[in-house]
Amino acid sequence: MYNQFKTKLPAVVALAVLISAAGCEQKAKTASTAADSTAAKPAPKYLSEPLVKNIYTADPSAHVFNGKIYVYPSHDIDAGIADNDNGDQYAMRDYHVLSMDSVGGKVTDNGVALDVKDVPWASKQMWAPDAAYKSGTYYLYFPVRDKQGSFRIGAATSKSPVGPFKAEPKPIEGAYSIDPAVFTDDDGSSYMYFGGIWGGQLQKWATGKYDANGSKTDLKQDDKPALSCKVAKLSKDMLHFDGKAQDVVLVDKDGKQLLGKDHDRRFFEGSFMHKFNGKYYFTYSTGDTHYLCYAIGDKPMGKFVYQGVFLKPVQGWTTHHSIIEFKGKWYLFYHDTELSGKNHLRNVKVTQLDHKADGSIGLIDPFVK
């Protein structure tokens, strides 16, 4: 058999060489086309510009105080920590307050308003804050890890909306996890919404006590109601809870609670509350599917009926926002990664929000086609 193939070997080799050469030529053409395609691919066009570029900012909580806009964001830094699902790369250490007289006008960075070293019970990771005002005092609410590594929520006060803020000696009793958002209703009653799964640790508080060895993601119960945000009424001094926190119940239009497997609609983190035409709009992020969604209720503590998505995914992993009315128009404050291209180094932005006559919110695309 060897002798039979031996006489034909040169022809076979020649054919193989021709085939190989043709294949290489085709690969080269394909690679060249792909390179040309990549080179020709236009850079993304963003809907809005970053509010500030001197520091990295995220999780913007905007408020109108005395006719002026104040934004309370996280202050992103590069701590040299690799990305992971626990969020260790988000190693923020302080808060700055931004202010502006008008949307589109000059934005002022008012410097450090609170530093982690000035919070007696805190250790690291000052994540998304919020603010409120009552009777001459401004309140800053913030999540940060305590000395044992558990995220707790603290409060700090100031006579100025830009601080500096003085932290209370202990975290708020009954508050835990991340992303506090405070809403004050027309009757003067204030409520705090809080919580976030995965790195936000809400799943580790499922029994009412912190379990350091609990799940790293969620309840891992896809066919049961998903973990949801918590809500509690604040005391008159704005520094304590007036009663125990309860679940923010999210249901579909048939009245069924959203399930753990419904990642396109279930709560992940980043809640916010605003009121429009007598209805309460609970807005939040779906996290790993990167949507901002809204649900509507008749009471500030719910329940809330899921309505839909109002912000498509931004560039970057996280989505966190706030909504305000200013001079007769509604605005959405959000963040993306335009300046850095890195998930943990973000920049805050603002765009107009469209409340429609039927109560729905117009869908916003963070990119311009």
Side-chain angles (χ1 to χ4, degrees), residues 145-193:
R145 287 183 186 262
D146 63 17
K147 306 293 186 182
Q148 290 73 46
S150 171
F151 269 112
R152 302 297 301 273
I153 295 172
T157 58
S158 176
K159 291 299 179 181
S160 168
V162 299
F165 287 86
K166 181 176 176 55
E168 292 293 299
K170 294 181 180 180
I172 298 172
E173 184 67 30
Y176 47 83
S177 190
I178 60 171
D179 295 353
V182 174
F183 166 75
T184 299
D185 207 350
D186 299 332
D187 64 358
S189 299
S190 295
Y191 304 84
M192 180 185 286
Y193 305 81

Side-chain angles (χ1 to χ4, degrees), residues 83-102:
D83 283 13
N84 61 52
D85 286 345
N86 198 43
D88 294 328
Q89 65 273 24
Y90 301 102
M92 301 83 98
R93 294 194 291 259
D94 61 24
Y95 297 113
H96 288 226
V97 181
L98 310 179
S99 58
M100 63 189 84
D101 293 318
S102 62

Side-chain angles (χ1 to χ4, degrees), residues 73-87:
S74 303
H75 175 202
D76 283 350
I77 60 171
D78 193 348
I81 301 172
D83 283 13
N84 61 52
D85 286 345
N86 198 43

Side-chain angles (χ1 to χ4, degrees), residues 306-341:
Y306 177 87
Q307 303 295 316
V309 174
F310 69 95
L311 179 69
K312 292 182 179 180
V314 300
Q315 177 179 287
W317 202 94
T318 65
T319 301
H320 196 115
H321 73 293
S322 59
I323 295 170
I324 63 168
E325 184 181 16
F326 185 69
K327 296 183 178 180
K329 294 181 179 179
W330 288 90
Y331 295 95
L332 169 70
F333 288 75
Y334 64 103
H335 68 231
D336 64 19
T337 61
E338 178 181 350
L339 293 180
S340 73

Side-chain angles (χ1 to χ4, degrees), residues 229-260:
C229 181
K230 304 296 181 182
V231 58
K233 188 174 182 179
L234 284 169
S235 59
K236 290 182 180 180
D237 68 3
M238 301 289 281
L239 298 174
H240 305 87
F241 284 170
D242 183 9
K244 189 176 180 181
Q246 63 185 53
D247 287 342
V248 172
V249 178
L250 293 173
V251 300
D252 63 20
K253 293 183 180 180
D254 294 323
K256 296 179 180 178
Q257 283 188 251
L258 303 185
L259 302 180

Side-chain angles (χ1 to χ4, degrees), residues 54-126:
N54 61 306
I55 59 172
Y56 291 112
T57 52
D59 314 316
S61 179
H63 292 271
V64 179
F65 297 134
N66 301 317
K68 190 171 182 175
I69 298 173
Y70 294 88
V71 184
Y72 300 82
S74 303
H75 175 202
D76 283 350
I77 60 171
D78 193 348
I81 301 172
D83 283 13
N84 61 52
D85 286 345
N86 198 43
D88 294 328
Q89 65 273 24
Y90 301 102
M92 301 83 98
R93 294 194 291 259
D94 61 24
Y95 297 113
H96 288 226
V97 181
L98 310 179
S99 58
M100 63 189 84
D101 293 318
S102 62
V103 174
K106 179 183 176 182
V107 180
T108 300
D109 174 2
N110 294 280
V112 176
L114 181 67
D115 192 290
V116 69
K117 65 180 172 43
D118 297 320
V119 181
W121 53 272
S123 63
K124 62 180 181 178
Q125 290 186 290
M126 301 190 86

